[in-house]
Structures are given as structure tokens and as C-alpha cells.
Amino acid sequence: MIDYLNTHAEQIVLIVVIFLAFFSLLVFVGAICSRWLLNRSEKRKARIRSDLSNLVIQYISNDITFEEIKSELTTKTDYAILLQLSNELGRSLEGEEAERLKRLMNLPPIRSYFEDRFESGNPLERAKACLYFSKKTNIKQTLIPAIVKQTSEEHPMLAYAACMVILNHGSDEQKKLAIENLLQNDGLSNQALNDIFAEFQANSADEDTGGAGLLMELIEKGKFTDHRTALMIRTLGELGYFQSADFLLEKFFELPKTGYDPEIATALIDILVKFGMAEIIDRLHKQFVQSKHSEVREAVAKALGIFCREESIPFLKWLLVDQDFYVRFHAATSLSNFPEIDLRKLKTPDMDDKEYSELLGEIEASKEGGY
Amino acid sequence: MNQARILVVEDEEMTARLILYRLKSLGHETRHAKDGVEGLKMIKEFNPDLVVLDVMLPGKSGFEILQELHDDPEFESGNIRVIMLSNKKSVEDVSRGFNLGAMEYVPKPFKMDEFLLRLKRVLNQ
């Protein structure tokens, strides 16, 4: 064997080199081909998108008729791209143009294309179908129970899109169930949930039993994570549900002295300040100003500056020497709201000269910028 | 003003395309910037009569662009008319836009005809 290897060593090396060269060439050609195919498909999609967007724009501007655009829509790929374009435009338009867009998306072949997609095993395809249904004025009522089920799917995009359909076409009970399911989906972003609540608010005929009532009911149930509960509290404030102020005040006073969740406490402070509930000031002074959580102290520093009560000045001075920069910054900003306070005189010897002057500069700049 | 130089600073492609299409069909000379940084650069280079400026932009917000133009001593920001376009509808945002020199604030979603009417009014001021 050794003799054989010694005799044929050169040929063996040559064969190995040729094999490796051939293999590398194959990989190289494969990579180029797949890149080329990918580019071709991307270019094709971009071309279809560009052609379609020109058509849609001409159609909604009344420069071409419904029949003309209908005759241009031929392949199934067009429909998925058309839905994208329609969603993009739908966010910005209302009135006559929005109605024309709706009429276009109601074409029978487009409708059956998305109804087929809803039966797909791929959650993303089902999500696309749900997004389509959510934009429609009417959908088959037989589809609704199956769509409600999709709201408890793990895939966040699918759960979100299904919930949007239910908010537009479901009963009050189905809407509640869909939102509850969504709140348990950890993959869903806060922004997506905010959109859901805004949509729910837009679709609620009665404000009291609508958005605010549902959110308070869900918070009261207490079965969601602290993160989600804090988000619901903030949503009550962001959507301007002033009727929830007393409920939130109750929740604020129910917070234990220790061991509370900082996210919930911060949300309660921020929103109660927004609602102008000065009843919280005393507890802010007595307890939360010394919270072990910097985000809570930061919220207190901001809140005291908004209420701007004279009795808060010593507490804000205390926060001005906090270990956390943002707490110090907001305490200083709040103190600058009191006309009798000269921030330059408040600097204590243990404060860093450079940092303090930078902090004052930042406050001045933020006030000039109107932030 | 029959034919104006109009710059549309808008990151939502379809909205921008629709506005540009309608403005072109009215005979205006148009340009488009997709983000705040490009928008600020084009305002200085193109020197438009009117800017349709979205508030939420990648890179720099519409408010930041107006603030920078206002603070730039070499730029005559008073010569440019601005219409702001935004999903933000709060009183604070609207008043901030007007304080920075915008002449109109159009909330999204909007009706195209109404938008064009406001644009015409601003151009004629």
C-alpha cells in the first residue's frame, strides 16, 4: 500500500486538486446562478409593482376606468402586490379615492384568490388573506369563527391580522375574545397592540362600554403580564379615555409599598399626570420619590414639574442629586418650571461642574426646541 | 401661481407617487425626497416654491428639517411655503408645525381634492 502511494503520489495529489477545483467551480457557478435567479425574481417583482402602482394611481385619479384596470390584472402574483399597494395608499387616503380603491379590491378574482390563501398551511399567507378581509366592507359570516381562532395563533402577524378582521366584522363578544387572545401573544409589539386598540376605539359606537370599558375590564382581570398591563394603562391615556381616571387612581393607591412592578407604577404615574389627577402628589412625595427603581423616580421627577406645586420643590432638589442621570435631568427640567428657582444656584459641591453645565444647556435647548 | 417648483418629502412610496402624479398633471415641476436628510439637502439645492413635508421621516423628522432651516443663517427660509402632512393629529403637533413656519397642516388620511385645494391656496398666498 505504502509502495503504491509512493509510486502514485503525484497522480493522487493531481486527482485531489482537480476534484477540489471542480467542486469549487461548481459552488461558484451555483452561487452566481442563485444570485442571478434571485435578482431576476426581485427585478420582476419590482417591475410588476411599478407597473401596477402606475395603473392604480391612474385609476384612483380617474384617468383610467374600472374596466381598463380590470383587464390589466391577470396573474395571481399581481393580487398579492396589489394588496400591498392598496394598503399603503389606504393609510393616506379617504373619500372618493379610498372608495375607488375599495371597489378595485372587491373584484371577484381578487376575493377568491385571498379566500383560497386563507385555507393555506402557511401562516403568512393566512395573515395576508386576513389583512385583505379586514379592508373589506363585508365578508362571509361563515368565515368569522375560523378567523377568531386565528387570533390565538402564535404567529404574531397572523394573530394581528385576524384580530383586525374581527374588529371590523365581528360581534362585541368576538372582539373581546380576539383582543384577549392577542394580549397573550408575547411576540406582538406594543405598536401593533396600540393599533388594535385604536381600531377598536374607532369601531366602538359607545365610548363608555367601548374601548375604555374593555381596557378597564381586562386590567381588572389581572391575568396578563405586567408588561401588557402597563401597556393597557398607557393606552387608556394615549387614547384619551378620561373616564378611566378614577379607576386608574384606585389602581395607583392599590400599589403595594414595596414589590410593585416599576413598569406599571410608571405607566400609572404618567397617565394620571396626563389626566391632571393631583391626588397622587402626596404619595409621590412620601413614597415614590425614594423608589429603588430609577424609571419610577424619573416619572416622579417629570410629574412634579408638571403639577408645579411649591411643596414639591424640596423633593425635586433631592432628586437633583440622584445617582441616575435621567432622574437628575428631569428633576432639573421640572425645577426650571418654577420662576423663583435659579438652577445655577442649586449646584452643590459634589456635583460635577462640566456635567451640571451640560445639563443646564440641554434643558435650555429642549425648552427652545419646544420638546 | 400656475407652474410652481414643488418638492415632496415623503417616505411612503405610494402616497408620494400619487401626490407627484397629481401635481405633474397640474403642470407643476416636481421633485421627491424619500427621507429627512435627502429632503433637507434638496430643499437647499432645488430651492422649491413649496414643500410638501411629511412629519414622520427616516433620518430627520419634518419638524427637525423646519428647525434646521430656521436656524440656518445662510438660508432664506421665509421664501419657502410649507405644507405639513402627518398621521400625528394632536394639538401640540399641529401648533408645533405652525410655529416652525408651516402654512398648512394636513392630517392623514386626507381627501386628494381637498389637499390640492389647500396647496393651491398656499401657492396663491
Side-chain angles (χ1 to χ4, degrees), chain A residues 60-177:
Chain A
I60 58 169
S61 305
N62 226 351
D63 287 345
I64 60 170
T65 64
F66 183 67
E67 294 307 319
E68 280 170 314
I69 193 167
K70 213 167 90 175
S71 66
E72 294 284 342
L73 302 174
T74 48
T75 65
K76 285 198 170 181
T77 324
D78 288 356
Y79 300 147
I81 298 175
L82 190 66
L83 178 67
Q84 262 180 23
L85 298 176
S86 154
N87 286 344
E88 281 174 37
L89 265 180
R91 282 195 292 270
S92 300
L93 290 177
E94 62 177 9
E96 198 191 325
E97 283 90 0
E99 285 307 314
R100 289 175 72 80
L101 210 54
K102 268 188 187 166
R103 190 179 169 208
L104 177 68
M105 295 310 291
N106 232 352
L107 274 171
I110 300 181
R111 207 168 48 218
S112 32
Y113 169 77
F114 285 109
E115 278 170 5
D116 288 349
R117 285 286 148 300
F118 187 65
E119 303 301 325
S120 156
N122 181 344
L124 204 59
E125 289 298 318
R126 294 207 298 280
K128 282 182 197 169
C130 286
L131 277 180
Y132 170 76
F133 297 146
S134 71
K135 302 281 171 197
K136 280 175 60 63
T137 322
N138 293 305
I139 62 166
K140 282 183 195 164
Q141 285 301 304
T142 48
L143 278 173
I144 290 189
I147 298 174
V148 174
K149 268 189 195 167
Q150 308 291 321
T151 58
S152 54
E153 283 280 336
E154 206 179 318
H155 195 286
M157 185 66 204
L158 174 58
Y160 168 85
C163 190
M164 275 291 182
V165 185
I166 299 306
L167 293 184
N168 285 297
H169 303 290
S171 66
D172 284 351
E173 279 310 305
Q174 286 166 329
K175 286 178 191 176
K176 279 184 189 177
L177 179 62

Side-chain angles (χ1 to χ4, degrees), chain A residues 200-218:
Chain A
F200 184 77
Q201 186 192 37
N203 285 317
S204 295
D206 182 349
E207 266 197 14
D208 287 332
T209 53
L214 174 71
L215 280 163
M216 288 190 279
E217 192 186 315
L218 294 172

Side-chain angles (χ1 to χ4, degrees), chain A residues 38-80:
Chain A
L38 206 67
N39 277 348
R40 206 174 71 147
S41 138
E42 276 169 10
K43 273 185 190 163
R44 185 176 160 271
K45 272 191 185 165
R47 187 174 42 77
I48 293 174
R49 191 182 153 88
S50 169
D51 292 347
L52 259 180
S53 58
N54 286 338
L55 270 176
V56 172
I57 284 170
Q58 284 175 48
Y59 162 70
I60 58 169
S61 305
N62 226 351
D63 287 345
I64 60 170
T65 64
F66 183 67
E67 294 307 319
E68 280 170 314
I69 193 167
K70 213 167 90 175
S71 66
E72 294 284 342
L73 302 174
T74 48
T75 65
K76 285 198 170 181
T77 324
D78 288 356
Y79 300 147

